[in-house]
Amino acid sequence: MGEMWGFDDESFFASPWSVNAPISESSLSIGALLGRARDVCTVPKIAPQPLSTISLQPPSIASALASPPSDDGENVTIQVFGTVRTIRKQKQRAFLQLGDGSTVHHLQALLNPDHAQGYDSQNRLKNYPIQKKFQTAEFLRSIPHLRLRLPLHALLARIRSESEFLLAQYFRDRSFLRVQSPVITSSDCEGAGQVFSLDTRAPVPEDHGDAAPEGHPFFRKPKYLTVSSQLHLEAYMQEHPKVWTFSPTFRAEKSDTPRHVSEFWMLEVEMRTQSLQEIMNLVEDMIKSLVQGLQQSSFMDELITMRRSRENLQTEEYLEDLEPLPTRWAMLKEGPWPQITYTEALRLLQDSAVSGKSKFLHEPSWESGLQFEHEKYIAATVGAGKPVFVTHYPQIIKPFYMLPSATKENDSTVAPRTSACFDLLLPEVCEAVGGSLREHRLEELEATMPLLEPSLKGKSPSERTEVE
């Protein structure tokens, strides 16, 4: 496939070109050679050929089920490829259900007993590890090569594929440039210290025996798996005003909660702007556009169908909260989404705790940030089903590179300083998106770094670069 896009100048000037005069120059640029060839060659007319000869047949089960019946009532012969989900035998006939991942619905085939012998449930299907009963997530993780065949996992793969397409289309329509950032990096972008370090030592030959020396480092400096593409996007943004990427991210956070994973994919965007509101408008519009695109497909109906189906007992653990799905998606499309400052949110939490309306395990305070229980309360109270933007967090709990807020809150004589930033809280999910304006003034940046990053205190600019 890679050679299809390569350029071979020798084969280019072979057939179908018909050379009428020789080209005597021994070295010509491609551009000059093309101009010369245009003068001395006759170009025959060639009928357009399809770019791909890959057959799109047989159709998927989803397209077969969506096809209308024949108008004349005649039987139509179709051919599909799929996996045998279940088989039910009777004396006179057998019912076989096929699936191919294109839909959660099955295509049922009616067979006579002789044709069904090859699919005897006492033979080949007996030892299949995923039986027609409830299966825990832990068990399914132990057979990753087979769990992908489950209708739910096939549906999630299609939802993710469609979501990536819709996001790419959204940013392309708004003149954003998609870039690819490296996975192996020498920087700890967010300064949290929770990075995966790479063992870059070269492998030691096996013939060295027990006295084998340690391998030499492959890289000259320590390398890590990236925690964010922010630094690379900021470099791209110096030339391109609007850039984005969707790439794998790694965090070495030891936690067993579903809110912390070691590897995930993160969408990151950088754009030139001096308005925090403009960034929040983009986030809101992007999510609404994504929801609108997904609603135009059949994904919601398929998710609800799986939730109500008794044939997918192994998926019950994942689909407990799908009943209000239409309402949730409808609320995401309503707007504008409410906004509240961190100061206002903190006051709301403290008043609720004092009045006894709510009991929090973590006491709300200015320097401790918002815990999950706090975010959940704000999303339910302020958002009432809609997402909520929480803006202007305390500068002391945010990275040093964030621009100070241009509000009265930023007056040190009135209140502690805040940063021009936001977190988007979704109902039940809570924090899903974060963004900020960046400090662009060198003197202010150098003065803030030692205050918010104790490890940089007393170091020169060159030494600070090494620490970063």
Side-chain angles (χ1 to χ4, degrees):
M1 179 65 72
E3 295 179 358
M4 182 183 298
W5 301 101
F7 184 85
D8 184 351
D9 57 351
E10 181 178 353
S11 61
F12 180 83
F13 288 102
S15 179
W17 295 94
S18 175
V19 180
N20 294 331
I23 299 177
S24 58
E25 288 83 348
S26 58
S27 60
L28 287 175
S29 66
I30 293 296
L33 197 56
L34 286 175
R36 192 61 190 278
R38 187 179 299 109
D39 296 334
V40 301
C41 300
T42 57
V43 184
K45 294 183 178 180
I46 304 176
Q49 299 293 326
L51 296 179
S52 174
T53 58
I54 299 177
S55 174
L56 298 180
Q57 299 295 331
S60 66
I61 290 180
S63 61
L65 293 175
S67 301
S70 176
D71 295 335
D72 55 9
E74 296 291 334
N75 292 332
V76 178
T77 301
I78 63 172
Q79 181 184 19
V80 297
F81 291 156
T83 302
V84 177
R85 302 292 191 194
T86 61
I87 183 171
R88 180 165 53 92
K89 291 185 179 181
Q90 297 179 354
K91 292 183 179 181
Q92 302 298 328
R93 60 183 63 86
F95 299 93
L96 185 144
Q97 289 187 341
L98 294 176
D100 63 354
S102 63
T103 176
V104 298
H105 303 287
H106 300 130
L107 181 64
Q108 181 171 272
L110 179 62
L111 308 177
N112 61 47
D114 294 336
H115 291 163
Q117 289 300 321
Y119 304 99
D120 188 5
S121 59
Q122 298 299 322
N123 184 11
R124 188 172 59 175
L125 300 181
K126 179 179 180 180
N127 297 324
Y128 190 66
I130 304 179
Q131 294 296 318
K132 193 176 179 181
K133 61 180 181 179
F134 174 79
Q135 307 287 354
T136 64
E138 289 75 14
F139 171 73
L140 293 177
R141 293 191 188 101
S142 67
I143 48 174
H145 62 298
L146 294 178
R147 70 172 179 172
L148 299 177
R149 300 183 184 183
L150 290 174
L152 172 63
H153 287 268
L155 174 59
L156 294 178
R158 288 188 286 115
I159 292 177
R160 173 168 178 164
S161 176
E162 183 69 12
S163 298
E164 290 188 25
F165 167 76
L166 292 173
L167 289 171
Q169 187 179 51
Y170 176 87
F171 286 114
R172 186 181 185 276
D173 292 344
R174 288 153 182 80
S175 301
F176 278 80
L177 176 70
R178 183 172 187 175
V179 300
Q180 289 73 38
S181 56
V183 173
I184 299 177
T185 178
S186 57
S187 64
D188 177 6
C189 182
E190 296 192 354
Q194 298 171 332
V195 296
F196 285 103
S197 301
L198 296 181
D199 185 357
T200 61
R201 292 174 298 177
V204 178
E206 297 181 357
D207 55 0
H208 276 272
D210 297 336
E214 292 187 2
H216 297 287
F218 184 84
F219 297 109
R220 296 180 180 179
K221 294 182 178 180
K223 299 296 179 181
Y224 316 98
L225 295 179
T226 181
V227 297
S228 173
S229 300
Q230 175 183 322
L231 295 179
H232 301 281
L233 292 179
E234 288 180 349
Y236 272 108
M237 192 180 58
Q238 305 309 311
E239 178 65 20
H240 308 280
K242 296 184 291 186
V243 294
W244 74 286
T245 188
F246 184 60
S247 57
T249 304
F250 305 87
R251 303 288 175 91
E253 298 178 358
K254 292 185 177 181
S255 175
D256 294 330
T257 68
R259 293 173 54 83
H260 297 84
V261 291
S262 300
E263 177 183 355
F264 59 96
W265 284 63
M266 182 162 60
L267 172 68
E268 298 181 79
V269 181
E270 293 286 340
M271 56 185 292
R272 297 180 191 173
T273 181
Q274 297 180 349
S275 170
L276 186 66
Q277 185 63 49
E278 185 177 357
I279 302 176
M280 292 189 289
N281 291 343
L282 176 69
V283 171
E284 181 174 344
D285 185 62
M286 177 197 69
I287 295 179
K288 288 181 178 179
S289 176
L290 175 61
V291 173
Q292 178 66 29
L294 293 176
Q295 277 189 321
Q296 294 176 356
S297 64
S298 62
F299 294 135
M300 183 185 298
D301 294 335
E302 291 186 76
L303 284 169
I304 296 176
T305 298
M306 292 201 64
R307 175 65 179 89
R308 297 172 178 172
S309 175
R310 296 181 179 180
E311 300 174 359
N312 297 282
L313 297 178
Q314 67 268 25
T315 64
E316 291 292 329
E317 181 178 353
Y318 305 93
L319 302 172
E320 294 178 353
D321 301 324
L322 288 182
E323 290 297 339
L325 185 61
T327 303
R328 290 182 179 179
W329 284 20
M331 295 298 290
L332 288 175
K333 294 173 57 178
E334 293 185 4
W337 295 344
Q339 300 179 16
I340 184 174
T341 66
Y342 181 91
T343 303
E344 295 169 339
L346 183 62
R347 187 180 302 116
L348 179 66
L349 293 169
Q350 292 174 341
D351 292 344
S352 178
V354 171
S355 63
K357 295 180 180 179
S358 302
K359 294 182 179 181
F360 301 113
L361 296 177
H362 303 85
E363 181 181 357
S365 65
W366 179 260
E367 297 183 356
S368 62
L370 298 180
Q371 303 298 321
F372 177 74
E373 58 180 347
H374 303 153
E375 294 177 344
K376 192 173 182 179
Y377 179 83
I378 295 172
T381 304
V382 180
K386 295 181 182 179
V388 180
F389 286 104
V390 180
T391 64
H392 304 295
Y393 280 70
Q395 195 175 34
I396 193 173
I397 63 175
K398 287 297 182 179
F400 66 88
Y401 52 76
M402 290 187 178
L403 187 70
S405 303
T407 65
K408 291 184 179 180
E409 291 181 358
N410 216 35
D411 187 350
S412 58
T413 62
V414 177
R417 294 171 62 87
T418 61
S419 297
C421 62
F422 70 88
D423 281 346
L424 177 63
L425 309 182
L426 297 182
E428 302 298 330
V429 179
C430 294
E431 181 187 354
V433 184
S436 70
L437 297 179
R438 305 291 157 71
E439 178 61 83
H440 55 279
R441 300 164 297 182
L442 180 59
E443 293 183 359
E444 284 76 1
L445 186 62
E446 290 183 341
T448 305
M449 288 170 63
L451 298 177
L452 300 183
E453 298 293 340
S455 61
L456 303 179
K457 189 174 183 179
K459 295 183 180 295
S460 64
S462 59
E463 292 175 323
R464 295 172 185 172
T465 303
E466 291 296 327
V467 174
E468 293 172 40

